[in-house]
Structure formats: structure tokens, C-alpha cells
Amino acid sequence: MIRHVCAALLLAALANAAHAQQANYKELPDPRPVDPVAWSTVKPGAHAFFGTADVRYDKIFAPDASTLRSTWKTRAWKGEKVHSQFVIYTTKALRNVSIEKSDMKDGNGNKIPAAAITPGFVRYVMTDELNSEGGGCGHRKPENFDSSLVADGIDIIPAIDVNANNVQPVWLSVTVPPQTPAGVYKGAVKVKTAAGYLPASLPFEITVVERTLPQPKDWAFHLDLWQSPYAVARVHNTPLWSKEHFDAMRPYMKMLANAGQKVITTSIIYDPWNSQTYDIYGDMIKWTKKKDGSWSFDYTVFDKWVSFMQETGINKQIACFSMIPWNLKFYYHDEASGKDEALVAKPGTPEYDQHWRPMLTDFARHLKSKGWFDITSIAMDERPLESMQKAIALIRSVDKDFKISLAGLYHKELVNDIYDYCVASGLDFTAEEKKERLGKGWPSTVYTCCSEGFPNTFTFSPPAESAWLGWHAAAKNYSGYLRWAYNCWVKDPLQDSRFKTWAAGDTYLVYPGPRSSIRFERMIEGVQAYEKIRILKEAGKGAELDKVLKKFEINALKQKKAEDMVNAASDVLNSL
């Protein structure tokens, strides 16, 4: 009987996981009614034209026909992923809409295979807006913010229905195989419905140049998007750290690796961020205080998670959070009482040192035994200078070679102590500090969070801002970019990106499925631009690029649109 119950539970979990991955889902209704006037000038029937990757097309308002075009043309390096967007809009209901693709060909018999072409229906999610101060931080209630549906997620379903007087964007990506001969490649996609094909196909053209972009694993850009295995377990309804859980996580983490991710996010204590996420981060290392007062540490989950992530291709760094949690609370199991206990202690106090010294000593031993010590950093985020200094002193007293990372404010006093130092946008190291850090191979990056109204990656942010971040990193000579949440999903992430704290979309960049997003794809575009700039500078093209890059200052976005800046800079980049 027990076996039958367990089998039934396992089948249910797998069914739920499959549903989260593949099934179609219903978007929330748009809070605004369809305005017939908005469709009065549209010719009756269904239409499809290319638009731009810079626009989140409205679902219930017909697009401005003057901004649409019948073709798409672009340039690409070998190995580069390029994208555009086309829109289907219709005055009549369309059923079972699908996209047909075929090989792209040049005039010499060469081709980009259809498998390299990926169309995806853009889905709509509920979003909100910035707060009255122009930022995205702070507790919020939906009724206090203007909420609306916005185009963001990119679906993996093969077909979709489109209602009358509705718009259905389609994201079109092409990944040029590295071995593709240079040339002009032409192809087209067709829109098929239950009633047949739309009259016109959508032709497009990619000029592949004689330059090659390295594979993502070889990109120099230090991308650090924090992962949440706990959110995946909830959404896919799998037991934590079970085979089903790892199977569910694998496609998400491979997608992240293919974006050039370098860092594995680990939580070495329970709840390092004081429950700020919908799914609390658990302790990947189990702390046990034994009856004789000594400590034991179980690294089983930590080892499984790190090994799994390395198998997906993310293997440059392991970030261990955190010796300075936001509530300064440290959980452990006490053998004497048989209960889970918690210690509250500040860095620099005897209680703090007595708690952490045995762990750091044993952790260093374990990491060295696994061959991971040199790629591991004890990680903190947005912690005060004094707390950081006291924690660093303790770490160094245990093992002077421990690496330390921090995402937070710039402190001159910490520049030579922090291996991976990520400063908030608008801050920077001095030119001398940055030169010295980069010379040592120390990641020196920049991050955005809820504080910035722009540039940002909220679900309502202009899409080009995600790409702009890569250009900004290149302009300021950062080694990369950090964002605190790759997949810290809210309750219903496919339908509603709003959260009790922070602007909508702040907590995640991709959707269950895994489904990518306009924001994530544009971020990859920015990372690729960074790599192309690096390669071209090494080839002696720095003077031409510096003229463009000097414009990518944070304050520039007060007067200019990110899309205008990125498009103009891309034209220069792709002409070199």
C-alpha cells in the first residue's frame, strides 16, 4: 500500500512538473477594456509584420502600422545570437496559430539550419510601476500602483489562440553556428492558423561577417545572476534535492550557462536574506552543535548542488552566503536539547567568532578536499563597512587565502581585501584601483537593484535597458554585471510579476518552463556586445569604439532613450 501511495505521489509530482514546463496557461485579463476605436483603422482580417525588439507591444491596442515593416535585416558574427520581433494582429479570432520556419541560405549553397531559428510567442504578465520617488524599492500594495498587462515572457508552446482585436508578438531568435561561412543568408517564417496560412510570409536576412564570437563558456564577461533552487522545487512540486528536483532545474541552469553565467549561488546558512523572497533559502550546509560543545557540518546538499551546477557549465566561482545575514541570526541543531536553535550575534563579538571559527576551519578543509577552495568566495551583500572589516579579520585569521566577495557600496578601505567586488550602479573604483584589480584577475563588477528607476530589468522597463547594461560595463571597464535574482519567483510568476516588496519583475528574469523573457534575451545581447567590444579592442579598434562607449554613463539616460543609444552604438560595432 505504501509503495502505491509513493508511486502516486511521484506521478503527481512529475505531472505537475510537466505542466509547469510545457502546458499552455491563461493570462490574467487586461484591466483595460478593448477600445474599438483603436482598431477602427485596421483592415479587417489578420496581419503580420516585423516590428522591433525595443517595444513591448500592447495586447489590446493595434500597433502603429507606420512603425512596422515587411522584412528584417541584420548583421551577425559567427556564433552570435541575434533577434527581432514580429507582430500578429487581427480583427478576427485566430485558432491554433503556429510559426513555420525553414533553413536560411546564401547564394553559394551554404545554410543556417532551421534548428538555429527559434520563434517564441511573447506572453503577457501583470506588472506595476515605479514608486512616487522614482525607484522600485519598498513595500507595496497592488491597489496603490497602476497595474497593467505587459509583454515579457517568451513561450515554448508550439501554437496559440489569438482573440479578435488582439495583438500577438513573436520573438524571433537566430543563433548563427560558429562554422557558418561568411555571407548573406536569407530565410522566412510563415504564420499558420487552423484556417490556413496568412497571405504573406515574413522574409529576413542576416549578413554573417568574418568574425567569430567565442562560446558562452569562454566569454570574459563576469555574469552573476543569483539562482534559487528552492523556487524551482515549489513551482515544479518536487522534493528538495531529489532526482526530480535536479531534473527540473537542469534546463534552467543550462539556459543560464548559455548566457555566460560564471557564479554558483549557495546558501551556507538558513535564510541569509531574512525571508525577503517568496521561497526562503535553506541551509545547504547542516550545522550541528554536539553534546560536548564541538561542531559537525554536513556538506551533502552543498556538494550535490555545486557538482550539479558545474555539470551544467557554471564553474568559475562558488559564492557562499552569508556570514553577515540581514537579521544576524544563525540557525543550528543542538544535540543537547534535540532542537533547532538560533544565535543572534554581530561580527566582532566573541559569540560571533566562536560560532564561525570552527565552521570556517572545517569548511576550508572540505573545500580543499573537493578541489574547490580556489574558486570559492565567502559572500556578503550590502553590509556596512565595519561589519565587513570584522568579518574579514576573522576569515583571514582562519585561512589567509580565503576569497571574499561583496555586492554593495564602494568602500576604499575594502578594495584590496575583496576578491569579487560588485558596486552599486553610479559608483565606481578609481582608475588606479580598477587597473590593479583587473591586473590581478579580480572581478570588479556593477549591479542594479530596486533602487534605480533606470536602467533596470523590471517587467515594465524599456527592453533596451537590459542590453544597455552590457554596454555600460564595457564603457566603465567593469568585468561584468550582477543582478540578485535569476529565478526568485513570486506566487504565480507566469501570470503576475508583482511582489509585496519591489517593483514588478525585480525578483526574476526568466519564467517557469523554462521560458526566457524579453529582458533576459536583451541582457544576453548586451553581454555579447561586451565580448565583441573586447575582441575588437584587442584587434586595435579601440579608438572607434571609445567614441561610442563614452556616452554610456548612467546619467545619460535622463536625456536619452536606451534604445537609441544601443541601436546607434550597435551600428558602429557591427561595421568594424
Side-chain angles (χ1 to χ4, degrees):
M1 180 64 180
I2 292 177
R3 289 179 182 175
H4 291 300
V5 171
C6 290
L9 290 173
L10 176 59
L11 288 173
L14 292 173
N16 284 328
H19 176 78
Q21 288 180 314
Q22 298 294 341
N24 197 355
Y25 62 94
K26 190 174 182 180
E27 295 163 353
L28 293 176
D30 198 306
R32 305 162 300 171
V34 174
D35 183 1
V37 175
W39 292 85
S40 60
T41 60
V42 176
K43 182 180 178 181
H47 312 275
F49 290 94
F50 277 105
T52 170
D54 293 324
V55 174
R56 298 185 186 275
Y57 288 95
D58 201 293
K59 184 177 183 179
I60 61 174
F61 290 90
D64 180 355
S66 67
T67 65
L68 304 179
R69 55 193 187 278
S70 57
T71 63
W72 168 48
K73 295 183 180 181
T74 193
R75 295 171 67 86
W77 288 22
K78 302 173 185 183
E80 184 180 2
K81 184 180 187 182
V82 293
H83 47 238
S84 186
Q85 194 173 195
F86 63 89
V87 286
I88 303 166
Y89 58 106
T90 179
T91 62
K92 64 178 183 181
L94 303 176
R95 297 291 172 255
N96 203 34
V97 178
S98 61
I99 310 300
E100 289 191 357
K101 58 184 182 177
S102 57
D103 295 342
M104 298 184 71
K105 300 177 181 179
D106 70 356
N108 300 313
N110 301 309
K111 66 181 183 180
I112 295 174
I117 304 167
T118 308
F121 297 109
V122 179
R123 301 302 298 268
Y124 289 85
V125 66
M126 197 64 71
T127 191
D128 52 26
E129 60 182 348
L130 297 175
N131 58 34
S132 58
E133 288 78 37
C137 298
H139 287 264
R140 49 179 57 206
K141 296 180 180 179
E143 60 267 24
N144 295 335
F145 292 83
D146 185 18
S147 297
S148 61
L149 281 187
V150 67
D152 190 55
I154 301 173
D155 216 335
I156 53 178
I157 57 174
I160 198 170
D161 294 337
V162 183
N163 292 333
N165 293 343
N166 266 204
V167 176
Q168 179 56 65
V170 180
W171 194 262
L172 183 64
S173 293
V174 181
T175 303
V176 180
Q179 69 277 12
T180 305
V184 179
Y185 291 79
K186 297 181 179 181
V189 291
K190 296 180 179 179
V191 180
K192 185 180 181 181
T193 73
Y197 292 93
L198 295 196
S201 64
L202 291 162
F204 56 100
E205 179 181 299
I206 298 177
T207 299
V208 179
V209 302
E210 267 310 349
R211 293 192 183 276
T212 302
L213 191 69
Q215 293 296 298
K217 66 181 179 62
D218 297 319
W219 291 348
F221 191 92
H222 192 84
L223 183 64
D224 186 3
L225 307 178
W226 297 357
Q227 314 98 47
S228 173
Y230 305 95
V232 178
R234 169 178 60 89
V235 168
H236 286 265
N237 195 23
T238 64
L240 267 175
W241 315 120
S242 64
K243 180 182 182 301
E244 295 77 21
H245 184 204
F246 283 107
D247 288 344
M249 290 192 290
R250 188 166 288 106
Y252 294 98
M253 301 314 162
K254 285 188 174 180
M255 187 163 74
L256 181 58
N258 287 335
Q261 174 74 10
K262 298 295 187 288
V263 187
I264 304 168
T265 308
T266 70
S267 47
I268 60 174
I269 64 169
Y270 179 79
D271 196 16
W273 290 288
N274 195 23
S275 307
Q276 72 171 11
T277 51
Y278 189 88
D279 301 284
I280 295 174
Y281 279 74
D283 44 354
M284 294 182 179
I285 298 172
K286 298 298 181 183
W287 299 48
T288 300
K289 188 173 185 180
K290 302 171 80 172
K291 291 180 180 179
D292 63 2
S294 63
W295 288 88
S296 67
F297 306 94
D298 184 346
Y299 301 102
T300 303
V301 170
F302 178 86
D303 291 352
K304 284 183 178 180
W305 169 242
V306 170
S307 297
F308 164 76
M309 290 294 283
Q310 290 181 331
E311 290 168 6
T312 69
I314 302 172
N315 53 25
K316 182 178 180 180
Q317 188 174 327
I318 305 166
C320 303
F321 293 94
S322 169
M323 279 185 66
I324 317 178
W326 289 19
N327 58 4
L328 294 178
K329 185 176 288 188
F330 305 100
Y331 297 87
Y332 63 94
H333 181 73
D334 190 294
E335 270 190 356
S337 67
K339 298 178 181 179
D340 292 334
E341 306 285 357
L343 168 74
V344 177
K346 293 181 179 180
T349 62
E351 295 83 5
Y352 182 89
D353 286 9
Q354 290 166 12
H355 187 78
W356 275 101
R357 185 175 298 278
M359 190 276 175
L360 290 170
T361 302
D362 194 68
F363 195 33
R365 174 202 59 78
H366 180 75
L367 291 168
K368 290 173 182 177
S369 73
K370 300 291 290 186
W372 295 341
F373 183 81
D374 291 339
I375 62 169
T376 297
S377 63
I378 305 299
M380 276 73 73
D381 70 296
E382 298 182 337
R383 298 297 82 201
L385 172 61
E386 184 181 1
S387 294
M388 285 299 303
Q389 289 175 319
K390 290 177 179 178
I392 290 170
L394 174 59
I395 294 168
R396 294 278 182 258
S397 72
V398 172
D399 194 312
K400 64 181 179 58
D401 295 323
F402 249 132
K403 290 183 171 69
I404 299 165
S405 63
L406 171 67
L409 298 178
Y410 164 78
H411 296 290
K412 187 175 185 64
E413 299 88 339
L414 299 179
V415 170
N416 294 319
D417 284 319
I418 305 295
Y419 162 74
D420 181 353
Y421 202 161
C422 183
V423 295
S425 69
L427 304 178
D428 203 354
F429 308 95
T430 66
E432 295 76 16
E433 289 169 344
K434 190 176 289 181
K435 181 179 180 181
E436 183 178 353
R437 289 180 57 81
L438 295 177
K440 293 189 290 188
W442 288 13
S444 306
T445 60
V446 64
Y447 75 94
T448 58
C449 60
C450 64
S451 301
E452 299 86 357
F454 54 86
N456 223 310
T457 60
F458 304 129
T459 43
F460 56 80
S461 296
E465 289 187 5
S466 291
W468 190 96
L469 292 164
W471 284 91
H472 176 65
K476 304 297 288 184
N477 200 28
Y478 291 115
S479 3
Y481 171 76
L482 177 151
R483 195 70 169 81
W484 80 274
Y486 173 62
N487 69 310
C488 288
W489 292 318
V490 293
K491 182 179 180 181
D492 299 305
L494 288 168
Q495 296 180 310
D496 193 341
S497 64
R498 296 172 297 179
F499 192 48
K500 61 185 179 182
T501 48
W502 314 306
D506 188 66
T507 70
Y508 62 104
L509 286 163
V510 298
Y511 292 82
R515 294 166 170 89
S516 187
S517 70
I518 291 176
R519 297 172 291 150
F520 190 59
E521 294 301 309
R522 295 303 303 271
M523 183 176 290
I524 294 171
E525 174 193 328
V527 175
Q528 290 183 144
Y530 182 101
E531 290 299 308
K532 292 164 74 174
I533 291 165
R534 177 182 61 82
I535 292 168
L536 288 170
K537 282 191 170 185
E538 291 175 355
K541 301 290 185 179
E544 297 97 320
L545 289 167
D546 286 341
K547 293 178 183 178
V548 175
L549 291 173
K550 67 181 182 180
K551 300 176 183 178
F552 282 84
E553 296 282 349
I554 291 289
N555 289 332
L557 291 177
K558 294 179 179 179
Q559 288 83 33
K560 301 178 181 179
K561 293 182 178 179
E563 64 193 72
D564 294 338
M565 296 180 67
V566 169
N567 291 337
S570 296
D571 287 344
V572 174
L573 180 63
N574 291 327
S575 68
L576 297 175

